[in-house]
Amino acid sequence: MAKIIVVTSGKGGVGKTTTSASLSVGLATRGFKTAVIDFDIGLRNLDLIMGVERRVVYDFVNVIRGESTLNQALIRDKHHKELCILPASQTRDKDALTEEGVAAVLEELGKSFDYIVCDSPAGIERGAQLAMYFADIAIVVTNPEVSSVRDSDRMLGLLSSKTKRAEEGRAPISEHLLLTRYCPKRVSNGDMLSLSDVNEILAIPLLGVIPESPAVLRASNSGVPVIDDTESDAGQAYADAVARLLGEDVPFRFLEEKPHWIKRLFSFKERETV
């Protein structure tokens, strides 16, 4: 059976969809058959970030309602042969998702895929609850700001109590923290929570720290997941996160402020004179 991963947060705009896209691409690149599902019914952004918006014919709700088969609705990524996308509906409301319907889709996907990534909407409404209900692994995405971290702490409470694993008394969901838009300079200026501050509040294993980077916006606008931008700090940080998710021991990068070019120049000259 496939492992089901939910990418969640309490607050909107923290980078869940960017994370879902990049993790899915990263897993597929490693050779794992991966499906990523957009649970944000009524909005639908995953297809834009994945660059497949023009190829959407049927969606998640069509499958649940029996208006199409799963195979008709799945969009196969052109650049990553092991990756498929199941888009959300833009014309239905969130009540269109049912527990039975979601369970049936996940069960069918589980027959063919190694990983199923559920891109959750923000908050605690029905779409978000269903996205996490069947999960084996949760990636809690947060920004280093008080409101985002507080809302993520609320989501951890739901993950421990309102899931299928909790109801059945099974082993709890494996929880991981992904910190996005991290800027060491703003941390040192006191304008942003530090990594240790966030870790102290949430107290779950750290999967990755994604630095604040213009590459994320460029990738979103061009319909290419930022993990494919292997030259960018953000792309490399997402690749590191995927490696850690798969159990690899990878050191954390991009946690310190990069020295100004003048400082680098003097440091280079000092080394020359030694």
Side-chain angles (χ1 to χ4, degrees), residues 20-264:
S20 297
S22 288
L23 289 179
S24 301
V25 166
L27 290 168
T29 301
R30 294 293 194 101
F32 295 100
K33 293 197 68 177
T34 306
V36 57
I37 307 174
D38 191 345
F39 272 78
D40 205 354
I41 308 300
L43 292 177
R44 198 176 83 188
N45 289 314
L46 180 65
D47 56 306
L48 288 171
I49 289 181
M50 302 292 290
V52 298
E53 69 277 8
R54 294 184 182 87
R55 297 170 58 197
V56 176
V57 178
Y58 295 108
D59 57 52
F60 193 10
V61 174
N62 290 138
V63 178
I64 287 176
R65 293 194 169 186
E67 297 163 355
S68 77
T69 65
L70 180 59
N71 191 58
Q72 285 177 299
L74 283 175
I75 301 171
R76 285 161 178 76
D77 192 275
K78 291 181 178 179
H79 307 290
H80 307 93
K81 64 179 183 178
E82 304 294 346
L83 179 60
C84 288
I85 302 102
L86 182 58
S89 171
Q90 280 186 308
T91 59
R92 312 290 178 95
D93 60 38
K94 300 183 188 301
D95 291 334
L97 293 181
T98 65
E99 184 178 316
E100 297 77 14
V102 172
V105 170
L106 293 176
E107 183 178 1
E108 190 171 350
L109 285 171
K111 298 173 184 176
S112 305
F113 291 89
D114 301 308
Y115 287 94
I116 302 168
V117 178
C118 302
D119 181 26
S120 171
I124 57 175
E125 45 79 23
R126 183 161 181 77
Q129 290 183 6
L130 284 172
M132 72 171 66
Y133 182 73
F134 298 95
D136 302 305
I137 300 167
I139 297 173
V140 180
V141 183
T142 189
N143 293 157
E145 57 180 73
V146 172
S147 62
S148 181
V149 175
R150 180 196 63 190
D151 290 349
S152 292
D153 201 24
R154 168 66 172 150
M155 299 309 294
L156 291 175
L158 295 176
L159 286 165
S160 65
S161 60
K162 288 199 169 186
T163 63
K164 189 173 177 63
R165 281 176 170 264
E167 288 179 1
E168 296 177 350
R170 291 189 287 143
I173 290 174
S174 175
E175 299 167 340
H176 302 273
L177 171 65
L178 189 82
L179 188 60
T180 56
R181 295 177 185 162
Y182 193 73
C183 178
K185 182 176 182 180
R186 292 172 66 188
V187 171
S188 63
N189 291 339
D191 298 328
M192 180 179 281
L193 293 178
S194 69
L195 176 58
S196 60
D197 292 333
V198 178
N199 272 330
E200 185 176 347
I201 296 168
L202 298 181
I204 58 174
L206 181 65
L207 182 68
V209 178
I210 312 301
E212 198 168 46
S213 170
V216 174
L217 181 59
R218 285 198 307 269
S220 296
N221 288 335
S222 61
V224 178
V226 70
I227 194 172
D228 279 337
D229 183 358
T230 57
E231 299 298 317
S232 70
D233 289 355
Q236 293 171 34
Y238 270 117
D240 290 349
V242 172
R244 294 187 197 100
L245 185 64
L246 296 173
E248 297 176 24
D249 186 11
V250 179
F252 287 91
R253 300 187 277 175
F254 317 116
L255 303 182
E256 304 295 332
E257 184 179 351
K258 290 183 178 180
H260 190 274
W261 69 270
I262 293 178
K263 290 183 180 179
R264 291 201 301 269

